[in-house]
Amino acid sequence: ALGFTYDPKLVWNWHKFARKKILEAQPNRAHQAIALMETLLPDFTLITQNVDGLHQRAGNTNVIELHGNIHRTRCFDENIAIEKWAKTNEIPPRCPHCGGPLRPDVVWFGEALAEDSYSRAQEAVRNCTLLFSIGTSSLVYPAAVFPFEAAQRGAMVVQINPNPTELDEVTPFTLRGNAGEWMPLIVNKTWPESRRL
């Protein structure tokens, strides 16, 4: 938020560039496998720190976005979602309600997570029996605590990561490698009748 306060035009333009690049990207095999899992598991919840919306593009619907979504916009001053605003040459554009600057709806370093998203994620972790921790360093808090909390409550925790993490000490189910290789394999072996990957 400090960078936006200092140079809002630069930050807005950087996020505009990032949105364009993200829209050129396509969901990968891991995204597709996770989306298929949601159709096969009745109580499936996806908690993501990604802001790119690729999980939704792959087909996931029950998604908790802890760090927001770069494709959405909110008012910097009022912290409310804004879908439409007057198109002008002003960068960043202005909030149609208060005139404050608009910003991407993402969590920047030093900002708190949205309370609703975090509460929903905590509830999902409290009630899970199986938790996949996929491709995360397990260093970004507070999300990094979720696999540890799930394991402490007796849930099976499976980690998929090419690199060692602190989670190695908690779960015997660590699969070294790329999520794009492991997730389709897991789905195809667990639900062979739905082999679509």
Side-chain angles (χ1 to χ4, degrees):
L2 184 59
F4 187 78
T5 304
Y6 177 73
D7 193 342
K9 182 176 181 178
L10 176 71
V11 173
W12 179 269
N13 283 335
W14 184 89
H15 281 84
K16 181 179 178 180
F17 171 79
R19 278 191 298 274
K20 182 178 182 283
K21 286 298 187 188
I22 289 168
L23 287 173
E24 294 171 3
Q26 296 300 317
N28 63 31
R29 295 186 72 222
H31 293 108
Q32 294 163 353
I34 294 167
L36 182 54
M37 283 179 76
E38 182 175 336
T39 68
L40 299 166
L41 296 169
D43 295 325
F44 182 93
T45 302
L46 174 63
I47 303 168
T48 184
Q49 294 174 287
N50 296 337
V51 299
D52 54 27
L54 286 171
H55 286 294
Q56 292 89 329
R57 286 175 50 197
N60 283 106
T61 58
N62 191 13
V63 181
I64 299 171
E65 296 173 309
L66 286 179
H67 293 166
N69 188 309
I70 198 167
H71 303 293
R72 293 190 307 256
T73 304
R74 63 182 157 113
C75 175
F76 184 80
D77 294 339
E78 295 180 303
N79 198 30
I80 57 172
I82 303 294
E83 292 185 20
K84 296 180 182 179
W85 56 87
K87 302 297 181 197
T88 66
N89 290 330
E90 190 169 9
I91 300 174
R94 294 286 170 177
C95 174
H97 303 289
C98 73
L102 296 181
R103 60 164 286 174
D105 188 11
V106 297
V107 176
W108 289 325
F109 287 105
E111 292 183 322
L113 300 181
E115 190 174 315
D116 176 59
S117 297
Y118 185 67
S119 296
R120 288 176 45 226
Q122 283 182 308
E123 183 68 19
V125 170
R126 261 194 236 73
N127 294 311
C128 78
T129 55
L130 170 64
L131 184 142
F132 281 90
S133 176
I134 303 171
T136 180
S137 65
S138 298
L139 295 174
V140 180
Y141 285 83
V145 78
F146 291 152
F148 295 94
E149 288 178 355
Q152 187 176 25
R153 296 175 96 57
M156 178 188 294
V157 175
V158 178
Q159 175 184 217
I160 298 174
N161 202 309
N163 304 308
T165 72
E166 291 181 15
L167 193 53
D168 292 356
E169 299 171 19
V170 175
T171 179
F173 306 107
T174 293
L175 305 172
R176 288 281 175 246
N178 185 302
E181 297 166 7
W182 278 111
M183 290 309 296
L185 181 64
I186 289 168
V187 171
N188 287 336
K189 293 287 186 184
T190 306
W191 297 278
E193 69 283 358
S194 65
R195 189 178 296 254
R196 293 179 249 172
L197 299 168

